[in-house]
Amino acid sequence: AYCWCAAGRGGRGGGSALWTETDEHVGIVLCELLRYPSSDARLYEIKLAVVSLLLNAPREYGDYLYNNGGVEPLVEILAYQTSLVVVERMGGSAEDAAAVVPILLALLRLVESDGSVMKVVKESVFPLDSEITFEQMAAAEVEKGRSEGKVGAKNMAPLDAPRGTLRWRLIRLMTWMDSSVKRSACELLWALCDGNPTQFVLRTGFGNAI
């Protein structure tokens, strides 16, 4: 039932020489664990442990996770953990960092190494059904900047980040007191904006982007 990715068998990255049968078995187990329901607190703790393991996984794991349904559960973990920190406010920066930094860094590693993972995560953070509105607002903002003689976007607030959405929560983390939290959130959003400064400002706001 599991689909082996091209990268692990001599596809892009040339990882076949480094990939072992043990790696393959570990990959299967990790995907299976990520697909478990999150309603059971004990199972969810196991899924968080999987996230920590992915911080040191080979970059080829991106293809593997994508082909075996392991990316969507990671986005669900991101959504829940950011809600826990931003909405429920655990109270201490050390707790905040422990809750969100691992999933932020794991997804950053995956989106930087695999275009398919990037697409899934970006569409989860910036849903397609809101992109038409964003593009219209972005075009108007860029045109406004040109008419005022500005280079790039200078919108102070995010153009489209309704309160409570995943992108709103990630943007809130950009100015978190804990440096590891805000840096991880910024770097993930920067990657999801394709490293494009104008898009980054339009999506997150000039102050946050700075």
Side-chain angles (χ1 to χ4, degrees), residues 1-5 31 35 63-72:
Y2 289 89
C3 174
W4 179 241
C5 63
C31 281
R35 291 158 63 98
D63 271 343
Y64 192 84
L65 289 169
Y66 174 77
N67 289 326
N68 293 288
V71 180
E72 290 81 358

Side-chain angles (χ1 to χ4, degrees), residues 138-206:
E141 185 65 28
V142 171
E143 184 58 35
K144 175 184 174 183
R146 287 177 183 155
S147 66
E148 296 176 354
K150 298 176 181 177
V151 177
K154 293 294 186 291
N155 54 294
M156 292 307 297
L159 291 187
D160 182 36
R163 185 179 181 85
T165 58
L166 177 55
R167 56 190 181 278
W168 175 81
R169 298 196 297 273
L170 287 172
I171 291 169
R172 286 289 302 276
L173 292 178
M174 293 176 72
T175 54
W176 215 251
M177 290 185 64
D178 186 285
S179 60
S180 61
V181 172
K182 61 184 177 183
R183 175 165 184 164
S184 302
C186 287
E187 291 187 353
L188 177 59
L189 285 166
W190 173 258
L192 295 180
C193 292
D194 303 313
N196 183 297
T198 299
Q199 184 181 166
F200 190 55
V201 171
L202 291 170
R203 291 196 184 277
T204 69
F206 187 74

Side-chain angles (χ1 to χ4, degrees), residues 11-12 23-24 56 64 103 113 151 169:
R12 76 170 176 273
D23 293 323
E24 181 171 356
N56 296 306
Y64 192 84
I103 186 61
S113 62
V151 177
R169 298 196 297 273

